[in-house]
Amino acid sequence: MNKITAAITGVQGYVPEYILTNEELSKMVDTSDEWITSRTGISERRIMKNGASSDMACNAIDQLLKKKGIDPLEIELVIVATVTPDFPFPSTSNVICDKLGMKNAWGYDIIAACSGFIFALQTGAKFIETGTHKKVIVVGVDKMSSIIDYTDRTTCVIFGDGCGAVLLEPNSEGLGIIDAILHSDGSGRKYLIQPAGGSNLPASQETVDNRLHYVKQEGKTVYKFAVTNMAEVSARIMEKNNLKSEDVDWLVPHQANLRIIDATAERMGLPKEKVMINIQKYGNTTAGTLPLCLWDWEKQLKKGDNIILSAFGGGFTWGALYLKWAYDTPIN
Ligand code: UT7
């Protein structure tokens, strides 16, 4: 009997309608379109004016299920990667399952910041590989605008809101998730953190006055770690799986900074045409970046394509995941 692997059999993204341009940001803080574009590659990002992370996720999952012709009751597990849950508890997964009537599903949230989708995908794959689950949804969603300080020009220009969801199902043709290398290093927490609101520093008048519920990032330091580790882990997963650069069809990199993406692609020996880049229109949507790329590129992907997902983020967390795409999208 062939080994069962977990394959992505559908993908759907969702981004809010409102577009926050560099131009508009430059009226809010001391910045410019030229600075943001040249330092990050971002031109605009989406902002959710009303609603929570669960609403973005529900939109994506609802469309995914309709596209696949699957009843919500068939879904067994929903794993949500997010650092902007609707509530500290209950989990966003619980909220999503309730809103969409996925009454037979259980689920939970994973906090791994920008690496969240890879961590969640690898976790979800295990439930399929062991044969205990047949239909698992993995979501990467963040409403970063809910934790971004729009008076801090060093962070507010980078982030945006967005979501992507994939369906995982068993595959016996050797397609789907093949391998992953994942890392965590909590000593990096001082460089990228939302300091208040947890048990370490519960909400108080003082934490609010000191703007401690917003993301604090030491950009330069995070940049150095991100460039080194994202490139290194991406090269390492290729070596581990005997993949040469010509064997890799697509790199799906976390969209934090165009310069980090370029460095990763260069280390892997990949030309620009094989690299998914949509940072210019969405910015950094944290857990949303990777599934949003898969959604944007879905029609170009072919059954059997070798794809490497790669990310670095708060925690620190980082990793790379190797998968073989499992389907061709019919061209209508
Ligand atoms: O996704 C999770 C992981 N996060 C990342 O991977 C992000 C990693 N970091 C970065 O992408 C970059 O560090 C940033 C985009 C955040 C910043 O770019 P940078 O090239 O590292 O800039 P910097 O922080 O070294 O700042 C350079 C200068 C400073 O001015 P001085 O001190 O040289 O006078 C900043 O104050 O640019 C200034 N600056 C800005 N100027 C205009 C910082 N932010 C802005 C801004 N507009 N928005």
Side-chain angles (χ1 to χ4, degrees):
M1 205 177 87
N2 284 348
K3 189 178 163 230
I4 298 294
T5 49
I8 294 177
T9 56
V11 58
Q12 181 69 39
Y14 173 80
V15 287
E17 271 172 35
Y18 189 81
I19 298 173
L20 177 59
T21 61
N22 289 351
E23 187 63 34
E24 187 177 349
L25 268 173
S26 63
K27 293 181 188 127
M28 296 157 63
V29 288
D30 182 14
T31 190
S32 64
D33 177 47
E34 201 282 318
W35 193 96
I36 303 170
T37 312
S38 62
R39 298 282 180 131
T40 68
I42 301 166
S43 302
E44 56 188 44
R45 69 288 293 140
R46 299 300 180 102
I47 301 295
M48 197 181 200
K49 295 282 188 184
N50 295 300
S53 289
S54 68
D55 296 309
M56 283 194 277
C58 283
N59 201 307
I61 297 168
D62 185 45
Q63 289 184 64
L64 175 61
L65 295 181
K66 286 189 175 126
K67 192 159 90 171
K68 295 288 299 175
I70 292 174
D71 190 287
L73 295 174
E74 290 179 56
I75 300 302
E76 297 158 307
L77 169 62
V78 177
I79 305 177
V80 181
T82 187
V83 291
T84 51
D86 287 24
F87 313 103
F89 84 91
S91 76
T92 312
S93 172
N94 289 173
V95 179
I96 294 168
C97 289
D98 177 50
K99 285 183 177 174
L100 287 182
M102 295 189 282
K103 289 188 187 302
N104 295 320
W106 67 289
Y108 54 93
D109 296 357
I110 285 184
I111 304 175
C114 301
S115 312
F117 186 73
I118 294 188
F119 280 33
L121 198 54
Q122 172 70 347
T123 310
K126 298 299 156 197
F127 289 95
I128 301 277
E129 288 166 14
T130 52
T132 60
H133 292 64
K134 302 269 185 290
K135 284 188 171 46
V136 174
I137 285 180
V138 176
V139 188
V141 58
D142 271 301
K143 184 186 172 188
M144 293 307 291
S145 61
S146 65
I147 56 168
I148 289 300
D149 184 351
Y150 286 94
T151 65
D152 174 7
R153 69 174 182 175
T154 67
T155 54
C156 74
V157 300
I158 313 168
F159 293 99
D161 301 339
C163 172
V166 298
L167 177 67
L168 291 180
E169 292 183 281
N171 184 284
S172 51
E173 300 172 272
L175 302 171
I177 290 143
I178 308 293
D179 195 16
I181 305 175
L182 307 174
H183 291 285
S184 299
D185 177 2
S187 69
R189 67 190 181 279
K190 54 185 173 290
Y191 305 116
L192 182 48
I193 191 168
Q194 183 187 346
S199 58
N200 185 58
L201 198 54
S204 67
Q205 190 58 52
E206 200 185 339
T207 62
V208 173
D209 289 346
N210 290 319
R211 311 182 81 76
L212 296 177
H213 295 269
Y214 293 121
V215 172
K216 307 286 175 196
Q217 174 173 248
E218 204 178 295
K220 235 185 187 27
T221 311
V222 176
Y223 181 87
K224 278 187 204 148
F225 278 102
V227 154
T228 311
N229 288 305
M230 214 168 114
E232 194 274 334
V233 77
S234 307
R236 195 145 43 90
I237 202 156
M238 287 172 65
E239 279 161 32
K240 195 174 161 217
N241 290 279
N242 298 314
L243 294 170
K244 304 260 174 299
S245 44
E246 56 271 24
D247 302 323
V248 176
D249 296 291
W250 295 100
L251 167 65
V252 190
H254 173 51
Q255 314 279 310
N257 188 314
L258 191 54
R259 291 178 290 152
I260 300 173
I261 296 173
D262 288 345
T264 304
E266 195 182 314
R267 177 77 183 272
M268 296 168 75
L270 296 183
K272 261 233 147 87
E273 309 83 72
K274 289 186 173 185
V275 185
M276 297 186 190
I277 298 172
N278 57 16
I279 191 171
Q280 70 284 355
K281 54 179 182 171
Y282 303 142
N284 182 351
T285 57
T286 303
T289 60
L290 300 178
L292 277 173
C293 279
L294 291 175
W295 178 51
D296 274 354
W297 267 262
E298 184 190 21
K299 289 192 174 68
Q300 294 181 56
L301 302 179
K302 298 198 171 47
K303 188 171 174 180
D305 275 358
N306 285 320
I307 303 181
I308 307 271
L309 276 61
S310 178
F312 182 92
F316 292 139
T317 56
W318 69 103
L321 183 144
Y322 165 39
L323 65 84
K324 279 185 176 289
W325 197 247
Y327 61 96
D328 295 315
T329 304
I331 298 159
N332 316 315

